[in-house]
């Protein structure tokens, strides 16, 4: 009887875990799709209000799944995207909050979502002003990008953001290599809109880099 009870308990536990994972997957997919629309298709006041609502939604996901790296990653992405749209010193608080979310995600599982927390944290370090205004650091950004590349060398986002960083560092030849990799990145099921807009950003940055390289010849 005892062995039957243990087996039944394990079966119920596994079923509950599978249900939770399915619910988390659905919640993350919803955040991803909403983020793509707000980040790329809305502007000005409409975008600001939508980001505020989306932050509330992602906060709810974090509260439901506090030990999930994925929930922290997307809460951080939404906050950092809002900071980027908001701009100025007023966005620094949001950037710091996003940083904390990415750091928590890395503590839980740095490889979650193909190393997205590393990519996103690296992007923050590369774009936020350095001391004494902010926490930005090109050295930390490069380290994080390289760690993310080791996890997902063919990924669209990591190759694009690393190329953007290298462009800012005037390492145009190396940036070009990563942009070509971004262009060839596998499509992500369910993220068609995000892929479409990201590839447009890849194309735009590629044109700027090729222009720089022509000038150097």
């Amino acid at each position: 009887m005892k062995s039957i009870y243990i087996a039944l308990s394990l079966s119920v536990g596994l079923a509950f875990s599978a249900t939770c994972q399915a619910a988390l997957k659905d919640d993350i997919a919803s955040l991803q799709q909403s983020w793509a629309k707000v980040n790329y298709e809305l502007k000005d006041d409409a975008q600001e209000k939508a980001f505020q609502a989306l932050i509330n939604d992602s906060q709810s996901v974090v509260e439901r799944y506090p030990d999930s790296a994925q929930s922290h990653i997307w809460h951080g992405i939404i906050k950092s995207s809002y900071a980027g749209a908001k701009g100025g010193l007023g966005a620094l608080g949001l950037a710091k909050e996003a940083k904390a979310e990415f750091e928590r995600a890395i503590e839980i599982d740095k490889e979650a979502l193909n190393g997205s927390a590393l990519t996103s944290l690296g992007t923050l370090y590369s774009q936020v002003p350095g001391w004494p205004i902010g926490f930005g650091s090109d050295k930390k950004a490069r380290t994080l990008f390289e760690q993310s590349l080791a996890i997902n060398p063919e990924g669209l986002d990591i190759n694009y953001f690393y190329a953007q960083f290298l462009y800012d560092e005037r390492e145009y030849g190396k940036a070009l290599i990563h942009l070509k990799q971004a262009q060839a990145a596998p499509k992500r099921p369910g993220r068609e809109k995000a892929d479409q807009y990201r590839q447009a950003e890849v194309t735009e940055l590629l044109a700027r880099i090729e222009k720089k390289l022509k000038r150097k010849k």
Side-chain angles (χ1 to χ4, degrees), residues 69-179:
Q70 296 181 44
S71 67
H72 290 283
I73 287 169
W74 271 97
H75 195 33
I77 287 173
I78 291 164
K79 285 192 171 190
S80 62
S81 298
Y82 184 25
K86 197 176 182 71
L89 293 178
L92 186 57
L94 282 166
K96 288 179 178 178
E97 292 173 11
K99 176 176 176 286
E101 294 298 326
F102 297 138
E103 289 172 341
R104 177 60 183 140
I106 290 168
E107 287 177 2
I108 296 170
D109 180 8
K110 69 178 182 180
E111 295 190 10
L113 298 177
N114 292 317
S116 290
L118 295 166
T119 301
S120 299
L121 186 56
T123 302
L124 271 184
Y125 272 116
S126 70
Q127 295 180 353
V128 169
W131 188 88
I133 297 173
F135 57 83
S137 167
D138 289 343
K139 182 178 180 180
K140 289 181 179 179
R142 190 185 294 270
T143 298
L144 288 161
F145 285 137
E146 289 175 352
Q147 289 175 354
S148 185
L149 272 171
I151 295 169
N152 187 27
E154 297 180 352
L156 172 56
D157 285 343
I158 176 55
N159 279 287
Y160 168 71
F161 283 114
Y162 192 32
Q164 187 177 61
F165 170 78
L166 293 168
Y167 175 85
D168 292 337
E169 295 292 300
R170 300 182 180 180
E171 298 178 38
Y172 304 125
K174 193 172 179 180
L176 183 63
I177 293 171
H178 287 284
L179 278 181

Side-chain angles (χ1 to χ4, degrees), residues 10 20 32 43 63 86 93 149 163 171 193 195-196 202 207:
L10 286 172
C20 285
Q32 290 172 334
K43 303 293 180 185
E63 290 170 0
K86 197 176 182 71
L149 272 171
E171 298 178 38
K193 183 176 291 187
D195 283 358
Q196 175 188 344
V202 169

Side-chain angles (χ1 to χ4, degrees), residues 12-22:
V12 171
L14 289 171
F16 179 75
S17 177
T19 300
C20 285
Q21 287 298 319

Side-chain angles (χ1 to χ4, degrees), residues 23-33 61 70-71 74 113:
L24 172 61
K25 184 178 180 180
D26 288 343
D27 285 341
I28 295 299
S30 178
L31 291 177
Q32 290 172 334
Q33 291 163 12
V61 174
Q70 296 181 44
S71 67
W74 271 97
L113 298 177

